[in-house]
Amino acid sequence: MVNLVLLGAPGAGKGTQAMKISQLYNIPHISTGDILRDNIERGTQLGLEAKKFMDRGELVPDSVLIGIIEDRLSEPDTDKGFLLDGYPRTIPQAQALGDIIDHIGKELDAVIDIEVPDEVLVKRLAGRRMCRCGASYHVIFNPPEVDGKCDHCGGELYQRDDDAENAVKTRLVSYYGLTYPLIDYYREKGLLKSMNGTGSVDDIFKEINSVIELIL
Ligand code: AMP
């Protein structure tokens, strides 16, 4: 069993790595961005509320996210471990996570921070294309076999609203202002494992695996 957090700026490759880790170790991949987008698609009250913030590239308020994570971590599939992708993104979210996992009698094993310079992040986000199955592509660096179609499920690829240039800038500002302090927060707790995220998907995955193997 392994309980992990993936940290990193938007475009660092958290989602791509999270899908691979969750498949290999058979643990649920909990992406708060995916949970929010699913609520938007289903037109729930939460989705309507969150969309305003997300389209601008701003963070959704902590109280909303803390509620989502509290509910999700109380589901039984997390007994075999979990991988958080996109949560926590602020110090209050990290403190709440500590309280929630204490309360359910679990512990965090590691916080994996994927580091990528800004100019690379901006290029990655501008060319990113997503599929509803969770796969992601890049028009130049990682194109699908058939233009506009997912290699895994054949689904139609789309560009996320918040990958538009203005929203990307706001997301990076929020990242440095609100999320970056989590690196020191988790370093002080002895949980931080930082890695260079500019290599190939497979090389980064290998490095993450070597961290996980030491925990298992
Ligand atoms: P992501 O898919 O992780 O890039 O998240 C997309 C957007 O969802 C973010 O830009 C935020 O608007 C919102 N979001 C996702 N996770 C969080 C979080 N932990 N705290 C606040 N907002 C979040």
Side-chain angles (χ1 to χ4, degrees):
M1 191 181 86
V2 63
N3 300 330
L4 299 172
V5 166
L6 274 185
L7 269 188
K14 300 187 294 294
T16 304
Q17 295 297 335
M19 276 181 76
K20 291 170 79 75
I21 300 166
S22 127
Q23 270 167 15
L24 185 63
Y25 295 98
N26 192 27
I27 52 175
H29 166 200
I30 303 177
S31 154
T32 44
D34 285 350
I35 294 174
L36 292 168
R37 282 184 288 276
D38 175 61
N39 273 274
I40 292 175
E41 265 192 26
R42 289 187 290 116
T44 67
Q45 189 56 42
L46 188 143
L48 283 176
E49 185 59 28
K51 189 172 178 355
K52 295 184 286 194
F53 296 96
M54 291 172 74
D55 283 351
R56 293 194 294 255
E58 292 170 12
L59 293 187
V60 176
D62 285 341
S63 56
V64 176
L65 268 296
I66 293 169
I68 290 176
I69 280 298
E70 201 163 16
D71 289 349
R72 184 62 187 87
L73 288 180
S74 66
E75 286 181 28
D77 65 340
T78 58
D79 285 348
K80 55 187 180 187
F82 58 80
L83 172 63
L84 295 180
D85 160 14
Y87 184 99
R89 262 179 157 104
T90 64
I91 296 279
Q93 289 184 19
Q95 288 164 337
L97 176 64
D99 293 344
I100 294 165
I101 56 182
D102 261 2
H103 187 71
I104 54 181
K106 292 186 177 148
E107 266 182 38
L108 267 190
D109 294 306
V111 173
I112 297 172
D113 174 41
I114 309 180
E115 295 179 347
V116 174
D118 280 4
E119 58 277 16
V120 179
L121 296 172
V122 170
K123 278 191 199 134
R124 283 190 185 175
L125 292 168
R128 178 158 77 168
R129 298 292 179 270
M130 308 296 299
C131 177
R132 295 192 201 282
C133 78
S136 83
Y137 299 86
H138 189 282
V139 288
I140 296 162
F141 309 137
N142 176 29
E145 279 167 23
V146 179
D147 200 26
K149 299 263 185 244
C150 177
D151 294 349
H152 300 283
C153 72
E156 200 71 35
L157 302 185
Y158 66 96
Q159 183 172 32
R160 274 172 48 170
D161 290 342
D162 60 351
D163 282 345
E165 205 180 324
N166 274 349
V168 165
K169 284 195 192 125
T170 313
R171 284 160 75 201
L172 287 177
V173 170
S174 316
Y175 171 74
Y176 285 109
L178 298 166
T179 310
Y180 194 76
L182 291 177
I183 294 177
D184 274 344
Y185 178 88
Y186 283 120
R187 186 181 291 120
E188 278 161 23
K189 293 191 182 296
L191 289 172
L192 191 77
K193 310 282 173 200
S194 292
M195 50 195 67
N196 178 338
T198 54
S200 74
V201 169
D202 285 341
D203 286 346
I204 299 162
F205 187 47
K206 270 191 208 134
E207 208 176 325
I208 295 179
N209 276 334
S210 61
V211 168
I212 299 178
E213 293 301 329
L214 291 178
I215 297 168
L216 292 173

